[in-house]
Amino acid sequence: MLILILTISAAQLHAQTPTAQSQAERIDRHYNALHSLSVHFTQKYDGMGMHRQESGTLLLKKPGKMRWTYNQPAGKLFVLDGDNAYFYSPGDMEIPRVTAKKLDDLRSPLRFLLGHTQLAKELTNLQINPAENGAFTLSGIPKNMEQRIASFTLTASAAGVIQSMRIEETDGAINLFTFSDEQPNAPATDADFVFHAPAGTHIIEGMPPV
């Protein structure tokens, strides 16, 4: 009887413990059900002799649209209109434009949220570890970014809501994004993702800045 009880308890515990696959699917279900999303973000960057912290609001709209509006520093903007990405900082006279297919930017791992998410297929060597307050971390390497990213960790709640994203590059630079105040299906129109170059600036073909 004792052996039977222990066996049942072990089976129940195993059933209640999320696997990397099940937690990835939970995140998939959460974001695949959304048409748009608004969330506050904070970005901390350490690398190349720089240490900076920035923050603002991220707005997503399916398919393929993303807008990062910064309040620190005020006026900074990143827009992905579905075809091209634009990077603007106050004072810039030239604004780099990069096609979405060639986008190699630290924000790009979040692009899996812009379509039909299959997180387990987006990350190689997927692993899971428990985090605080019932959350879990998933780690792996985003496909097609192996030459740039050494490690990628996503922390999400038990319900599948992403709380943070940590990216370590192969050169040792570390980017940490934290997210809060998520608003599922927030108001978002196509006009929100049209980039308007400020007066006196011009758009150039280029690569995204760090």
Side-chain angles (χ1 to χ4, degrees), residues 86-88 92-97 195 197-198 201-204:
Y86 301 85
F87 308 81
Y88 173 72
D92 288 351
M93 302 304 295
E94 296 182 337
I95 301 171
R97 175 176 59 195
F195 179 77
T201 66
H202 61 280
I203 295 172
I204 62 171

Side-chain angles (χ1 to χ4, degrees), residues 27 131 135-138 153-157 161-166:
I27 295 172
F136 293 88
T137 62
L138 292 178
T153 303
L154 197 67
T155 300
S157 70
V161 177
I162 295 175
Q163 300 173 340
S164 68
M165 181 176 74
R166 184 183 185 276

Side-chain angles (χ1 to χ4, degrees), residues 184-196:
N185 295 319
T189 67
D190 289 340
D192 294 322
F193 305 92
V194 175
F195 179 77
H196 300 283

Side-chain angles (χ1 to χ4, degrees), residues 16-55:
Q16 294 171 357
T17 303
T19 64
Q21 181 70 34
S22 66
Q23 183 65 0
E25 291 173 352
R26 191 169 287 116
I27 295 172
D28 291 345
R29 286 194 297 272
H30 175 74
Y31 290 98
N32 286 340
L34 305 181
H35 302 292
S36 63
L37 170 71
S38 176
V39 65
H40 181 269
F41 73 88
T42 298
Q43 177 187 6
K44 295 181 180 179
Y45 175 83
D46 289 282
M48 300 177 64
M50 294 185 291
H51 307 277
R52 69 172 184 247
Q53 178 170 317
E54 300 175 337
S55 62

Side-chain angles (χ1 to χ4, degrees), residues 141-152:
I141 305 295
K143 289 184 177 179
N144 302 318
M145 298 191 73
E146 293 87 351
Q147 298 301 313
R148 182 173 183 182
I149 296 181
S151 68
F152 174 81

Side-chain angles (χ1 to χ4, degrees), residues 37-39 41 56-61 64-70 75-82 86 88 107 110 114 188-196:
L37 170 71
S38 176
V39 65
F41 73 88
T57 301
L58 166 61
L59 182 65
L60 300 172
K61 183 177 185 293
K65 293 179 172 62
M66 180 185 297
R67 182 185 183 95
W68 299 69
T69 304
Y70 290 75
K76 184 175 179 179
L77 183 66
F78 167 87
V79 176
L80 176 61
D81 63 11
Y86 301 85
Y88 173 72
R107 284 163 280 253
L110 274 179
L114 297 176
T189 67
D190 289 340
D192 294 322
F193 305 92
V194 175
F195 179 77
H196 300 283

